Amino acid sequence: MTTHEVEEMLDITKRTLIYYENEGLVKPLRDNNNYRCYNQDDVSKIKFILLLREMDVTIEEIKQIINKKKSIRDVLENKKDLIKQRQLDLDHIDEKINNYIKRKKVKIAVDNDLDYGTIYDRLYFYKDFLQ
């Protein structure tokens, strides 16, 4: 199969195919004109790589899987743990935002522009830190 045929079949770019080749993930044969010739094993491996990339598995992790240094299960379980941690972090940020939004009024004070006689909550900015 030519590069163009693989591009069309898998809906990927030539640049992606060359990147996978440069990273050592696939090694297509070359014909007499030095064009890449992908066989069914190459196409299957590329499909596998694309599936893993959809699950946010990094190229380095894919290399470890292909070289049998890590199992797919271990990589995916680690990915799930990372997703859970990210979700907790996002939930924490969301909670902070929601708590702040619940406030009725907010006054933004810059440097010494403080008015202690108001009912406003204050969000302080210092000119030295504004860019």
Side-chain angles (χ1 to χ4, degrees):
M1 240 180 258
T2 66
T3 300
H4 183 70
E5 290 170 330
V6 175
E7 288 175 58
E8 298 241 329
M9 176 193 299
L10 301 179
D11 194 29
I12 60 175
T13 64
K14 180 178 182 178
R15 185 175 180 180
T16 300
L17 288 171
I18 292 170
Y19 175 71
Y20 291 163
E21 184 179 351
N22 290 339
E23 289 297 318
L25 298 174
V26 291
K27 296 174 186 162
L29 299 174
R30 300 288 183 136
D31 67 9
N32 294 336
N33 294 326
N34 206 28
Y35 292 128
R36 291 171 181 84
C37 294
Y38 294 89
N39 61 33
Q40 192 55 49
D41 288 340
D42 295 326
V43 172
S44 295
K45 190 178 273 190
I46 295 166
K47 286 180 181 179
F48 176 67
I49 293 165
L50 293 172
L51 175 66
L52 292 175
R53 293 296 295 140
E54 285 178 7
M55 292 184 273
D56 202 33
V57 176
T58 67
I59 294 298
E60 288 305 314
E61 290 169 324
I62 293 171
K63 286 180 186 179
Q64 291 174 339
I65 291 168
I66 289 174
N67 295 324
K68 300 185 189 304
K69 292 182 179 179
K70 283 190 178 180
S71 72
I72 298 170
R73 179 174 302 280
D74 288 342
V75 169
L76 294 179
E77 285 175 354
N78 288 340
K79 194 63 61 182
K80 279 190 68 77
D81 291 343
L82 181 63
I83 290 168
K84 285 179 187 175
Q85 185 57 51
R86 283 184 189 166
Q87 187 61 50
L88 289 173
D89 293 344
L90 290 172
D91 289 344
H92 182 69
I93 292 168
D94 187 50
E95 182 182 345
K96 284 183 174 184
I97 291 170
N98 287 333
N99 287 338
Y100 201 84
I101 289 173
K102 287 178 188 176
R103 297 177 176 185
K104 299 280 185 222
K105 298 178 182 179
V106 175
K107 178 175 180 170
I108 298 176
V110 178
D111 284 348
N112 293 327
D113 181 25
L114 305 177
D115 181 7
Y116 293 104
T118 67
I119 59 170
Y120 293 94
D121 288 326
R122 288 174 189 81
L123 179 60
Y124 298 105
F125 291 96
Y126 296 97
K127 289 180 186 172
D128 294 345
F129 297 107
L130 296 177
Q131 297 182 14

